[in-house]
Amino acid sequence: MTRASRDKVVAVAGATGAVGEVLLRVLEERAFPVAELRPLASERSAGAVVRFRGTDHRVEVARPAALDGADFVFFAATGTLSKELAPEAAERGAVAIDKSSTWRMTEGVPLVVPTRSTGTGGSSRVRTARRSPSSWCSRRCTVRPASRASW
Ligand SMILES: NC(=O)c1ccc[n+]([C@@H]2O[C@H](COP(=O)([O-])OP(=O)(O)OC[C@H]3O[C@@H](n4cnc5c(N)ncnc54)[C@H](OP(=O)(O)O)[C@@H]3O)[C@@H](O)[C@H]2O)c1
């Protein structure tokens, strides 16, 4: 099975926070093909659990090694953490998606504007314009439209 075709290893930095919690619920609701979920946070929450698809998942400290083998890394923590770890995620071949404003105005960093599919094919759009909802990705990574039909 190729990396593209298998279910995904998904890390969520900031999984214990307000945005991280919503993100987990969205991944559930949209049946995102998660093979492995890695909830990450600061040392304060290490060892805590978050609920995902009816199962408790233990929270680990967000550090580079926690990103090994990840396909997607969502950043819903601090801008400082995004700045430090998003390049680490990209170095490991993951798609990094940042909810902070850290990379919003950075040249060469794609901005993804997820829209819900209204029909059959998944009509999400990817834009490179500034002043859009923030997302981060290295120049080498692939941007996936955020619609279920397109995962
Ligand atoms: N709230 C919104 O409506 C909203 C909307 C869009 C975007 N955002 C952006 O999303 C991000 C999160 O916002 P939030 O409202 O969810 O904040 P929050 O509720 O305070 O949650 C922050 C999360 O980041 C983690 N964190 C903080 N410092 C960390 C560190 N040094 N290393 C690893 N993890 C760390 C926290 O983990 P611990 O449990 O260990 O503290 C927690 O999981 C921010 O960048 C914010 O600007 C927020």
Side-chain angles (χ1 to χ4, degrees), residues 70-133:
D71 296 295
F72 291 93
V73 183
F74 290 91
F75 288 92
T78 65
T80 304
L81 190 78
S82 300
K83 198 151 201 169
E84 178 193 341
L85 288 190
E88 296 280 351
E91 279 297 314
R92 288 163 169 76
V95 176
I97 302 164
D98 182 27
K99 299 296 290 177
S100 81
S101 60
T102 301
W103 302 94
R104 187 174 52 185
M105 303 298 284
T106 304
E107 200 62 41
V109 174
L111 295 167
V112 177
V113 182
T115 57
R116 282 193 176 275
S117 170
T118 55
T120 54
S123 58
S124 299
R125 290 168 171 72
V126 177
R127 295 179 182 169
T128 54
R130 302 296 102 180
R131 299 177 186 279
S132 299

Side-chain angles (χ1 to χ4, degrees), residues 14-20 40-45 62 76-79 81 99-101:
T16 55
V19 173
L40 309 174
S42 75
E43 288 179 0
R44 287 184 294 275
S45 295
T78 65
L81 190 78
K99 299 296 290 177
S100 81
S101 60

